[in-house]
Amino acid sequence: VPGPPSEAHSAMCRPEAQPALPALSLVRLSVIMALLIFLGSINFVLVKEMYAAYGDRYAFFANQGVNALYLFYGALVVVPRMMFTKAITPEMRRSGQRRYIVMGILDALGTFFTAMGAVYTPGSMQPLLNQMLIPFTMVFSICFLDKIFGRYEASGALLIAAGACMSAIPPLLAEHDYSKLRWYSVLVYLLSNMPMAASSCYKQKNFRDREVDVWYLTQWVSWWQFLLSFALIPLLCLPGMSSPHGTPLVDVPAQLIGGWECYMERDPVCRERHCFWLLNGYCAVNVLYNTLGLYLTKVGSAVMNAVSYALLLPVTTLLFFTPFVGPVQESFTKTSWFTLAGLVVVVVGFSVYQHYARGVGFSDEETVEEPAVKGSDQAAFQERVIGMGTGPVFGSDRVPARTRTRSGDGMLSKPLLGGQAAV
């Protein structure tokens, strides 16, 4: 639940179970794409500004604040849907909590590591490291879901990994400002992709034949994520978890109280940094960003979705070198060229992966033989990775091959397994 998150994982009803939406004109779809890029850029800038404003001392409070606000925003939608619509069925309400708890645990770990690493991981580096969710998820899918991938999908994932390393390693090896970049923060931020990837695979495995309302599932996962994140407090004692030497447990209550004081802007420094508005604004923008991404998936096509997210990645990365991002603006140095080179490699890898994973490029009525694609058709919220919020795209099952047909609406006869985009 970023989100993470993304910041939050959630699933929506399968497309075939929902009423068809009216077709939109190219102009309106273009406006939605532009708005998605705009909101996505703001989303990733705000998450960096938020954690930089709260600092390493209050990073855990900011993480829990995001989780709590997801509960508030979600309740504003879920309660009316339960009271005045039939979107949330009795069958959904009778579903057990085990799946929600597991997703809550994994998302809690993902957003916790994000919070611990975000303060001292440069904003221009974060969107590139976020894309590592793709190769991590591929590895988990192969190991635990028995998935197979084509050579082009694998090549795209390897390019993403190479580009992320190219952007992160040279600045760490060169002389740098310790107050803005720390190696352990970058490592922790990178590792946050692992529980996110595990959560994505778990969703894919456990929602194959289940129909769950996106807001209803988000609310339950958010509850468990918020509660279970408190169980991660002992990890704050470990060196590198936000601070070089760790935080003694006896100091945690004071940090939580101090975080609340900072959120309420009773501290002059926090008031100057606009901590109240950053936390609330980030959560609101993240919900809008995820919702718009899911809407574009339903009314648009795989091509339009892939183009939107492919444009969002360089826009977000380069934005951190401009004055528009305010206090988190980064100076362009010699090592910044490695960030740009890594960006190019990641964009190429991302485009290759999206192209072949989504089946983009088939002509109408073109048929190919390949392993049948099986898995959850449910999309998911997650602010973590640019371009992963459109449904699973992780591999094919090892089942007998069948013929698939490309239809004119840009989707295969059975939708491709879609990925997620954090918490």
Side-chain angles (χ1 to χ4, degrees):
V1 219
S6 310
E7 287 203 350
H9 277 169
S10 48
M12 70 181 300
C13 295
R14 291 193 293 269
E16 61 268 25
Q18 297 190 14
L21 295 177
L24 299 182
S25 66
L26 181 60
V27 174
R28 292 186 179 182
L29 285 174
S30 299
V31 171
I32 293 175
M33 290 173 60
L35 184 57
L36 182 66
I37 295 172
F38 176 72
L39 285 176
S41 300
I42 295 178
N43 177 79
F44 286 93
V45 169
L46 284 179
V47 71
K48 173 58 182 177
E49 284 200 31
M50 179 186 68
Y51 282 116
Y54 280 88
D56 55 357
R57 182 173 177 81
Y58 301 137
F60 179 76
F61 173 87
N63 175 59
Q64 284 294 72
V66 171
N67 293 335
L69 282 173
Y70 255 90
L71 290 173
F72 173 73
Y73 290 140
L76 295 179
V77 178
V78 171
V79 173
R81 288 173 72 84
M82 294 179 67
M83 294 178 62
F84 305 114
T85 75
K86 297 181 180 180
I88 301 175
T89 64
E91 182 182 0
M92 295 177 191
R93 300 188 193 190
R94 289 194 299 267
S95 60
Q97 292 293 310
R98 180 182 59 84
R99 291 173 295 140
Y100 305 146
I101 293 174
V102 173
M103 292 180 68
I105 292 172
L106 295 173
D107 288 350
L109 285 168
T111 56
F112 175 82
F113 289 136
T114 298
M116 296 302 101
V119 177
Y120 298 114
T121 299
S124 62
M125 198 181 293
Q126 290 183 13
L128 302 179
L129 294 177
N130 288 345
Q131 305 314 302
M132 284 296 294
L133 182 60
I134 293 177
F136 275 123
T137 306
M138 289 182 67
V139 172
F140 277 100
S141 298
I142 293 171
C143 295
F144 300 108
L145 299 181
D146 198 28
K147 297 293 181 183
I148 56 175
F149 296 87
R151 60 180 179 274
Y152 293 112
E153 293 172 271
S155 299
L158 288 175
L159 284 173
I160 291 172
C165 292
M166 189 182 300
S167 68
I169 294 178
L172 289 172
L173 296 178
E175 184 177 351
H176 57 270
D177 186 350
Y178 187 72
S179 66
K180 297 181 179 179
L181 173 63
R182 299 180 183 179
W183 70 267
Y184 61 83
S185 294
V186 175
L187 178 61
V188 171
Y189 191 94
L190 173 65
L191 292 178
S192 69
N193 288 290
M194 296 186 68
M196 295 291 186
S199 181
S200 178
C201 292
Y202 182 83
K203 180 196 74 73
Q204 184 173 334
K205 181 178 181 180
N206 287 272
F207 287 90
R208 289 180 179 237
D209 303 312
R210 293 175 175 85
E211 189 177 303
V212 181
D213 179 78
V214 60
W215 296 103
Y216 184 73
L217 186 142
T218 299
Q219 194 70 359
W220 273 117
V221 173
S222 297
W223 269 113
W224 289 113
Q225 181 176 348
F226 175 75
L227 295 174
L228 295 170
S229 289
F230 286 109
L232 302 179
I233 286 179
L235 295 180
L236 295 173
C237 300
L238 298 177
M241 288 299 172
S242 188
S243 61
H245 307 293
T247 301
L249 284 178
V250 294
D251 293 344
V252 173
Q255 287 191 359
L256 293 175
I257 295 173
W260 172 257
E261 296 291 315
C262 189
Y263 171 70
M264 299 304 295
E265 297 186 354
R266 292 168 183 162
D267 184 315
V269 175
C270 296
R271 188 182 308 115
E272 182 181 349
R273 295 175 178 175
H274 309 291
C275 289
F276 177 85
W277 296 109
L278 281 174
L279 186 55
N280 289 279
Y282 164 68
C283 292
V285 169
N286 182 248
V287 171
L288 291 174
Y289 165 59
N290 277 286
T291 303
L292 187 63
L294 293 177
Y295 180 70
L296 179 61
T297 303
K298 293 173 67 64
V299 301
S301 67
V303 176
M304 300 191 74
N305 226 28
V307 169
S308 299
Y309 289 118
L311 292 174
L312 177 57
L313 179 56
V315 168
T316 303
T317 302
L318 297 176
L319 196 59
F320 283 99
F321 295 108
T322 69
F324 297 108
V325 297
V328 295
Q329 179 185 359
E330 300 171 21
S331 301
F332 196 90
T333 63
K334 292 181 179 180
T335 56
S336 300
W337 288 106
F338 289 98
T339 300
L340 295 185
L343 172 63
V344 172
V345 175
V346 169
V347 168
V348 171
F350 178 79
S351 301
V352 170
Y353 178 83
Q354 291 280 42
H355 180 86
Y356 289 98
R358 296 179 184 280
V360 175
F362 287 98
S363 61
D364 289 351
E365 301 306 321
E366 180 181 357
T367 60
V368 294
E369 290 286 341
E370 71 162 21
V373 180
K374 294 175 60 180
S376 171
D377 294 332
Q378 294 179 295
F381 279 13
Q382 189 188 10
E383 56 78 37
R384 286 284 304 148
V385 58
I386 293 176
M388 300 284 290
T390 57
V393 280
F394 295 120
S396 303
D397 287 343
R398 299 178 186 275
V399 296
R402 64 175 173 86
T403 301
R404 64 177 185 175
T405 301
R406 181 71 171 178
S407 61
D409 63 356
M411 294 296 292
L412 300 181
S413 56
K414 179 175 177 61
L416 285 171
L417 297 178
Q420 300 244 69
V423 249

